Amino acid sequence: MGKVLFTGSKYQSNEHLHDRIKAKLDCDYIELDEKLLTEAVENGDVSLIVVHLSGIPQDKKGELARLLHDMDKVPFILTGAREELHKYFERTEARILRYILTPIKLSDFLSEINRILRKVEERDVDISELYETEGNTIVEKEPPKHILIVDDDPVVLRSMSNILNGLFRVSVVKSGYDALSFLENEKPDLILLDYQMPELDGLQTLAMIRNNKAGADIPVFFLTGVDDAEKVKNAISLHPQDYILKSAGVAHLLQKIEAFF
């Protein structure tokens, strides 16, 4: 089999991951650079290019777009989060064989790469066979996940909405009572619930959501500044899907949401 070229910031920044992949696969890492990748394909026995989209700098996205458009000698696999993959799926007709969602188990990832390599190197392969719907592959547009944010602080509602919009469909309400009214007509995929709120706090709100047939199975993350051990224990007793401190930061929250979905 020919060599696989891996490119993208994930492979550049994680030498341990690259070494583990290289131990199982004839491959190499190349910086995401249009000239370097083109030269590697021209000079070497390259069968496949794998691009990890997460963290690619803005000034490199133009180069990637040109590569996907112009390079017709070697097919591509794109990996990354669902939203990143959809951006490329919707706007390119390049020779992209698979869209692999990450995170994914390394063993499953390597197994899929090897399976695709075998297909690619069959002379009479029908490329359309590689566009499949099962597993970690995106081949059709899915609606964005719907997240409801419940918080009495308008600054939090505004900032969280700005952060999550574009990745998800976002709705906001400023009280537990408003959340219960909202759930009479809508069923979000996830609720981010504050702990400390007037009139109806997060504990009471979650208990009422769980007792409401329409909302009993909606996943709930507490997103709060409350780190008191006893209060955390009380919240966990209601079996939320997660308990996240606001102080943990935006990156941590996004990681948790992406991993959950």
Side-chain angles (χ1 to χ4, degrees), residues 20-228:
R20 291 177 66 194
I21 293 174
K22 202 164 185 176
K24 301 288 186 179
L25 196 66
D26 182 13
C27 65
D28 202 359
Y29 167 78
I30 290 186
E31 181 183 352
L32 182 53
D33 180 274
E34 188 174 1
K35 182 179 179 181
L36 291 177
L37 284 167
T38 300
E39 288 179 352
V41 170
E42 294 290 342
N43 298 331
D45 181 21
V46 177
S47 293
L48 193 63
I49 298 175
V50 180
V51 182
H52 189 68
L53 298 173
S54 296
I56 291 178
Q58 191 65 36
D59 61 351
K60 288 290 184 180
K61 291 183 178 178
E63 288 188 52
L64 176 58
R66 287 192 296 273
L67 278 167
L68 295 178
H69 182 269
D70 296 339
M71 189 175 289
D72 58 4
K73 294 183 178 180
V74 179
F76 288 81
I77 292 175
L78 301 187
T79 75
R82 184 178 300 277
E83 292 74 24
E84 294 165 329
L85 296 177
H86 279 317
K87 289 176 185 177
Y88 284 88
F89 177 79
E90 292 171 343
R91 71 186 186 206
T92 182
E93 297 298 326
R95 295 189 66 200
I96 299 174
L97 299 186
R98 296 299 294 268
Y99 295 77
I100 300 179
L101 286 173
T102 58
I104 181 175
K105 287 182 180 179
L106 184 58
S107 58
D108 292 342
F109 178 70
L110 292 174
S111 175
E112 182 65 1
I113 295 296
N114 278 308
R115 188 188 75 82
I116 293 170
L117 273 175
R118 289 192 295 270
K119 286 281 188 179
V120 168
E121 295 186 351
E122 292 174 6
R123 289 188 177 274
D124 298 324
V125 65
D126 180 357
I127 295 298
S128 65
E129 292 177 4
L130 297 171
Y131 291 83
E132 300 170 351
T133 56
E134 66 268 12
N136 288 281
T137 303
I138 291 181
V139 293
E140 59 183 30
K141 176 68 176 172
E142 293 184 7
K145 298 293 185 182
H146 183 191
I147 297 178
L148 172 66
I149 307 171
V150 186
D151 201 302
D152 65 305
D153 186 339
V155 175
V156 171
L157 291 179
R158 184 168 59 252
S159 63
M160 291 307 305
S161 181
N162 288 339
I163 290 165
L164 297 176
N165 263 320
L167 299 174
F168 308 98
R169 175 188 165 204
V170 178
S171 299
V172 299
V173 295
K174 60 183 180 180
S175 73
Y177 287 116
D178 287 344
L180 294 171
S181 297
F182 182 91
L183 296 178
E184 292 178 1
N185 301 305
E186 294 261 14
K187 187 173 182 178
D189 298 294
L190 177 66
I191 298 173
L192 301 181
L193 178 63
D194 190 22
Y195 195 121
Q196 289 184 320
M197 296 184 294
E199 297 182 351
L200 204 64
D201 66 20
L203 291 180
Q204 295 167 313
T205 301
L206 180 54
M208 295 179 73
I209 289 173
R210 292 289 184 251
N211 288 329
N212 185 323
K213 186 176 180 181
D217 60 346
I218 298 175
V220 175
F221 284 8
F222 273 101
L223 180 61
T224 176
V226 174
D227 60 0
D228 176 80

